[in-house]
Amino acid sequence: MQIDDEQLKKLIKSESTRSRGFEMMVRQYSEQLYWQVRRIVITHEDSNDVLQNAFLKAWASLDSFHGDSKLFTWISRIAINEALDFVRKQKNHPLQSTDDEDMGLANQLMADNFFDGDETEAQLVEAIEQLPDVQKTVFKLRYYDEMKYSDISKILGTSEGGLKASYHIAVKKITEFFKQHD
């Protein structure tokens, strides 16, 4: 059962209904947030861990949520920042074996039991992963989630103009990647 944003905000703001409201929010937004996170961290297991951490942070931060933005925008920002932090930590402290590093992201994705895509989709993932972090995140939110630039701007805390430029550059780089690998 979907509940509208204003009702969820009311439930979460009240001490007596906070737990129930948060539980409803988790159920309502988990799948959409999972896919946002999954596109950033790639693997199923890491996505679940990151999403769980994001919900824990959201629970701990409920008092700081003022209700100015949509609840989904607020929780998306937490989840995406958590995913980006995870990726940064992985780059700084890779714990993977050298076999995994040599395997490449596209091959890792194809080997993932939870991936049901084709080779073209795996190549798209590989092309996206070669983008700088900002372009990568903007592209994923815009392309996969079809988010408006205004919503992405709220989540990432940057200007819409800068986001449009990042997206445009990302599309050019991805197009070039496919031309080179055709």
Side-chain angles (χ1 to χ4, degrees):
M1 173 179 97
Q2 292 280 8
I3 184 169
D4 100 337
D5 199 65
E6 291 304 314
Q7 289 175 312
L8 268 177
K9 285 180 187 179
K10 286 178 186 173
L11 290 171
I12 287 172
K13 283 297 180 185
S14 170
E15 281 294 322
S16 63
T17 58
R18 177 173 281 183
S19 292
R20 191 175 102 227
F22 188 79
E23 197 176 298
M24 292 171 85
M25 180 190 73
V26 169
R27 269 188 265 131
Q28 187 160 317
Y29 297 136
S30 283
E31 185 175 351
Q32 194 174 359
L33 289 171
Y34 168 83
W35 287 108
Q36 284 183 341
V37 168
R38 173 85 188 254
R39 289 182 193 103
I40 295 171
V41 302
I42 306 299
T43 68
H44 171 72
E45 290 80 13
D46 291 339
S47 299
N48 278 337
D49 291 345
V50 167
L51 188 57
Q52 185 175 9
N53 289 341
F55 281 126
L56 289 171
K57 281 190 176 181
W59 175 256
S61 303
L62 279 178
D63 288 332
S64 67
F65 177 66
H66 301 293
D68 301 337
S69 64
K70 291 181 179 177
L71 202 51
F72 183 74
T73 302
W74 176 74
I75 189 71
S76 286
R77 184 177 197 153
I78 293 170
I80 289 167
N81 284 332
E82 193 69 20
L84 293 172
D85 286 346
F86 176 84
V87 169
R88 277 187 219 107
K89 288 176 187 172
Q90 292 293 342
K91 284 180 183 176
N92 292 336
H93 306 293
L95 297 176
Q96 299 174 343
S97 71
T98 51
D99 291 344
D100 285 348
E101 289 172 18
D102 293 340
M103 193 175 180
L105 277 172
N107 291 334
Q108 287 179 42
L109 187 61
M110 293 295 280
D112 187 335
N113 292 335
F114 295 98
F115 179 71
D116 63 357
D118 59 16
E119 189 174 330
T120 303
E121 190 172 348
Q123 282 184 320
L124 176 59
V125 168
E126 189 174 346
I128 293 168
E129 288 307 309
Q130 293 181 8
L131 297 171
D133 288 340
V134 172
Q135 290 174 11
K136 185 185 318 181
T137 304
V138 171
F139 182 83
K140 289 176 181 181
L141 293 174
R142 182 82 177 131
Y143 179 79
Y144 289 114
D145 297 320
E146 299 177 356
M147 282 186 139
K148 296 176 185 173
Y149 287 111
S150 58
D151 291 338
I152 299 170
S153 175
K154 290 174 188 168
I155 290 170
L156 299 179
T158 58
S159 73
E160 287 184 44
L163 294 172
K164 289 176 183 178
S166 290
Y167 183 78
H168 179 71
I169 293 167
V171 169
K172 279 186 162 183
K173 288 179 180 179
I174 291 169
T175 302
E176 280 303 310
F177 177 90
F178 274 98
K179 285 180 183 175
Q180 291 173 359
H181 293 84
D182 194 14

